[in-house]
Amino acid sequence: MSFSLQAIQDNFVPHKKEDFIYTYGTAGFRSIADVLDSVMYKVGILATLRSKKLGGATIGVMITASHNPEQDNGVKLVDPRGEMLEQSWEAYATKLANSKTPETLAQATEEIIASQKINVDQPANVIYGFDTRPSCPELVKNLESGLQASGAETKNYGLLTTPMLHYLVRCLNTAGTSDAYGEPTAEGYYHKLAEAYKTAVKGFTRLSTLHVDCANGVGAPKLREFLTHLSEDVISVDISNDQITTQGALNKNCGADYVKTNQRAPPNVKIQPGDRFCSFDGDADRIVYYYLGSDQTFRLLDGDKIAGLAAMFIMDLVNDAGIDSLKVGVVQTAYANGSSTNYLEKVLKIPVSCVSTGVKHLHHEAEKYDVGVYFEANGHGTVLFSPSALNTIKTTEAKTPAQNRALQQLAALTELINQTVGDAISDMLLVETILTNRQWSPEEWDQAYTDLPNRLAKVVVADRSVFTTTNAERQLVSPAGLQAEIDAIVAKYSQGRSFVRASGTEDAVRVYAEAATRAETDELTYKVAQAVYDRGGGVGARPLMS
Ligand code: G16
């Protein structure tokens, strides 16, 4: 198939809403699905160009809006090693998406070819997948049209979790090399994780049943398929919220974002003392755990708690294996609870970096460590092992049985943990591995540190793009004067911290606050949210103390 600017113009998909401005946000393009058909066409063209630029390496395209409501949709590109699209290309994506005529699209395409010195005669390979949203089939057609017009070889992998697509991209690009990541099929993915899990829990008593809320999303059928690879005596899982064909059910009063934001279990999940629960999000790339404390209160074990658990376990294994020259580090965002950072730095004595929101930022920072644990508080995250760490784990000769066991466990973790992106199924298995190895209840895991009371709120404003930040999103640059106002409010609360930033996936400004007590936290959140509303052009009702 050849590249043709004429074909790109001839098949142009017009914009449904002339004045809509598209931006490649925290995780690609995301908005109400109705306005995304033209974007899908352009993303097809961009994926082709990206593959041609990289000599025909396979690029991935995932159609999903993850945690957003069902009427939204979105699309993101996956680079050859399974990581998010290189950031310098996001501006090209935005330029193409906002080209409103066949001529301006052809011109924008030519500009990318010229500035990136792309040889359009190179081959292009693109694979794609999608989640359970009703808008996906129509959007897939538009994507296919863009891929075809720009001359890519393609493969449709159908219904997938986002992390499975990332896995497939890496497998296809490393096939036949010494770095081969795995079999590029869903079966290959399940097999790799299942075998690693069996090794990691071998010899330990199986834990009680884990209850998994799948957000009525793609995680439900995929988790079921995965579980056919493990017998009941290895893991016992009870799946709820698996209604993927019920209209309006996706992420509605369930899923990781609901649980994290509302700090409560989904209303239809009957949470019993002594049981262990977790929730995926709509495309199964996030996970949070929770349980009922002995005092009958809801307890959340979010991304920060998972990072702490993983870092603690890996540090212990690295020490037991006698390879403590490996540098283990943790990457967080401003949303990390102050107590978690304190635990990592003061108790575990692990270096911690803070970066902007978005897996793309955390992933690259984590690559700077031999073993980089990265998690957002909302449950997005994974652990990256550098090539030299993998080599050390593989080649170190054990001198004692204990050292041998630790090396085997580390080797199993490198297979179990998705190295391309945060993955709810893989992260679930990581947590289950650690709890099984320690024979811990969630309560015992929770004892590492006590979270400061915290709250997340959303404020809808006329134009969220006026909210710009610095210092890993911890301080506002604009609207002018608002940061000083927030600082003055925060100063009145013990252990108070609050920051404000525009969401890159929803049309809202997010407000985060934490303080010494629940009452102080709620009041602080409310006061900051009101300041945002008043100075930032709030729309609709003024925030009320809930
Ligand atoms: C996406 C990103 C995450 C980010 C989240 C919220 O998650 O992949 O890294 O934390 O959006 O971002 P924002 O605060 O900018 O809206 P998901 O699960 O929706 O793909």
Side-chain angles (χ1 to χ4, degrees):
M1 286 165 92
S2 60
F3 180 85
S4 149
L5 273 180
Q6 192 57 51
I8 287 175
Q9 293 190 65
D10 292 347
N11 292 282
F12 185 78
V13 178
H15 287 215
K16 280 221 177 104
K17 234 172 137 187
E18 275 295 306
D19 54 350
F20 198 92
I21 297 169
Y22 299 96
T23 24
Y24 201 93
T26 313
F29 294 107
R30 204 175 280 192
S31 69
I32 188 92
D34 297 352
V35 298
L36 284 174
D37 40 9
S38 66
V39 170
M40 295 296 159
Y41 180 69
K42 273 79 165 264
V43 164
I45 297 165
L46 190 75
T48 302
L49 295 177
R50 182 85 184 134
S51 177
K52 284 183 185 292
K53 166 73 187 175
L54 300 174
T58 298
I59 297 297
V61 180
M62 183 70 196
I63 299 182
T64 176
S66 194
H67 77 275
N68 291 48
E70 189 171 292
Q71 63 271 24
D72 286 1
N73 214 327
V75 61
K76 50 191 165 194
L77 277 93
V78 177
D79 258 358
R81 289 191 65 76
E83 70 278 49
M84 301 289 189
L85 174 70
E86 186 183 296
Q87 253 176 287
S88 62
W89 275 60
E90 292 183 5
Y92 297 139
T94 302
K95 184 87 198 268
L96 289 187
N98 291 298
S99 303
K100 289 185 187 159
T101 64
E103 294 72 31
T104 51
L105 176 61
Q107 201 187 337
T109 307
E110 274 185 308
E111 278 170 22
I112 300 172
I113 293 169
S115 67
Q116 285 292 317
K117 299 188 180 59
I118 297 171
N119 175 359
V120 294
D121 296 328
Q122 285 282 329
N125 292 289
V126 179
I127 67 166
Y128 52 97
F130 46 88
D131 73 11
T132 55
R133 285 162 204 270
S135 54
C136 282
E138 196 53 39
L139 296 178
V140 166
K141 280 191 211 150
N142 289 299
L143 171 72
E144 285 168 339
S145 171
L147 290 166
Q148 209 172 11
S150 54
E153 294 292 334
T154 63
K155 184 162 180 183
N156 177 357
Y157 275 88
L159 193 66
L160 286 178
T161 69
T162 294
M164 285 172 83
L165 181 84
H166 286 253
Y167 163 89
L168 291 166
V169 169
R170 176 120 160 208
C171 290
L172 288 164
N173 287 309
T174 54
T177 70
S178 57
D179 199 19
Y181 192 58
E183 179 72 33
T185 59
E187 277 303 303
Y189 167 85
Y190 298 143
H191 181 76
K192 179 172 170 137
L193 264 54
E195 289 308 305
Y197 186 69
K198 279 190 240 171
T199 309
V201 298
K202 199 167 169 196
F204 295 98
T205 306
R206 197 206 76 186
L207 298 176
S208 61
T209 297
L210 170 67
H211 302 271
V212 186
D213 150 34
C214 289
N216 293 315
V218 62
K222 298 301 164 186
L223 179 58
R224 271 195 217 289
E225 281 169 28
F226 167 71
L227 289 170
T228 61
H229 294 72
L230 290 174
S231 60
E232 270 273 328
D233 54 349
V234 177
I235 194 166
S236 168
V237 174
D238 160 52
I239 296 177
S240 64
N241 291 324
D242 57 353
Q243 302 301 302
I244 63 167
T245 54
T246 304
Q247 218 186 329
L250 178 67
N251 294 323
K252 179 88 180 160
N253 293 333
C254 60
D257 201 60
Y258 174 90
V259 173
K260 169 71 184 161
T261 312
N262 295 288
Q263 305 192 18
R264 72 167 83 106
N268 69 345
V269 169
K270 293 287 155 269
I271 175 165
Q272 303 287 350
D275 282 353
R276 210 162 68 261
F277 295 81
C278 65
S279 286
F280 292 2
D281 69 343
D283 62 342
D285 61 358
R286 305 188 194 182
I287 186 171
V288 293
Y289 270 71
Y290 43 100
Y291 69 101
L292 211 56
S294 43
D295 57 358
Q296 299 290 312
T297 57
F298 172 84
R299 303 288 171 84
L300 180 66
L301 294 154
D302 62 3
D304 297 339
K305 286 277 180 180
I306 298 174
L309 182 76
M312 176 276 302
F313 187 65
I314 290 169
M315 290 278 283
D316 282 356
L317 287 178
V318 161
N319 286 329
D320 292 351
I323 50 173
D324 45 0
S325 59
L326 288 188
K327 194 174 170 211
V328 182
V330 177
V331 185
Q332 302 185 314
T333 71
Y335 291 107
N337 195 279
S339 296
S340 76
T341 314
N342 198 49
Y343 166 73
L344 292 165
E345 287 181 336
K346 307 268 163 57
V347 180
L348 295 186
K349 304 202 185 312
I350 289 181
V352 179
S353 332
C354 180
V355 298
S356 297
T357 299
V359 169
K360 57 192 177 193
H361 301 296
L362 289 106
H363 192 93
H364 292 306
E365 186 66 22
E367 282 175 329
K368 295 180 183 163
Y369 297 102
D370 294 320
V371 185
V373 179
Y374 76 80
F375 270 90
E376 293 182 291
N378 62 20
H380 257 289
T382 192
V383 181
L384 301 182
F385 293 86
S386 71
S388 85
L390 289 174
N391 191 48
T392 305
I393 293 166
K394 211 190 274 173
T395 56
T396 300
E397 282 190 24
K399 297 192 185 72
T400 65
Q403 199 181 351
N404 188 41
R405 177 75 184 147
L407 285 165
Q408 278 180 2
Q409 286 296 73
L410 279 169
L413 290 189
T414 66
E415 294 287 304
L416 183 70
I417 302 171
N418 193 327
Q419 297 292 290
T420 64
V421 79
D423 179 335
I425 296 179
S426 161
D427 289 341
M428 176 193 92
L429 296 173
L430 170 64
V431 170
E432 293 300 297
T433 293
I434 302 172
L435 298 184
T436 306
N437 273 246
R438 296 285 156 108
Q439 293 290 294
W440 275 358
S441 66
E443 206 148 14
E444 285 167 297
W445 164 16
D446 205 9
Q447 275 163 20
Y449 63 89
T450 305
D451 270 325
L452 280 173
N454 60 91
R455 192 165 286 288
L456 261 172
K458 279 189 251 182
V459 182
V460 180
V461 296
D463 179 9
R464 71 188 147 124
S465 72
V466 301
F467 284 75
T468 59
T469 58
T470 184
N471 189 14
E473 300 178 324
R474 287 172 287 198
Q475 282 170 305
L476 279 175
V477 174
S478 63
L482 182 52
Q483 186 59 52
E485 209 171 304
I486 294 171
D487 290 344
I489 299 170
V490 169
K492 296 185 184 131
Y493 296 86
S494 50
Q495 292 180 271
R497 183 168 75 90
S498 179
F499 68 93
V500 164
R501 57 174 280 279
S503 162
T505 60
E506 295 174 55
D507 192 8
V509 172
R510 295 197 197 281
V511 174
Y512 175 84
E514 63 184 36
T517 65
R518 167 55 56 206
E520 283 185 287
T521 303
D522 289 349
E523 197 179 282
L524 174 58
T525 314
Y526 161 74
K527 292 219 163 129
V528 174
Q530 286 217 327
V532 168
Y533 182 93
D534 292 341
R535 280 180 150 272
V539 170
R542 270 185 110 223
L544 286 173
M545 180 111 164
S546 53

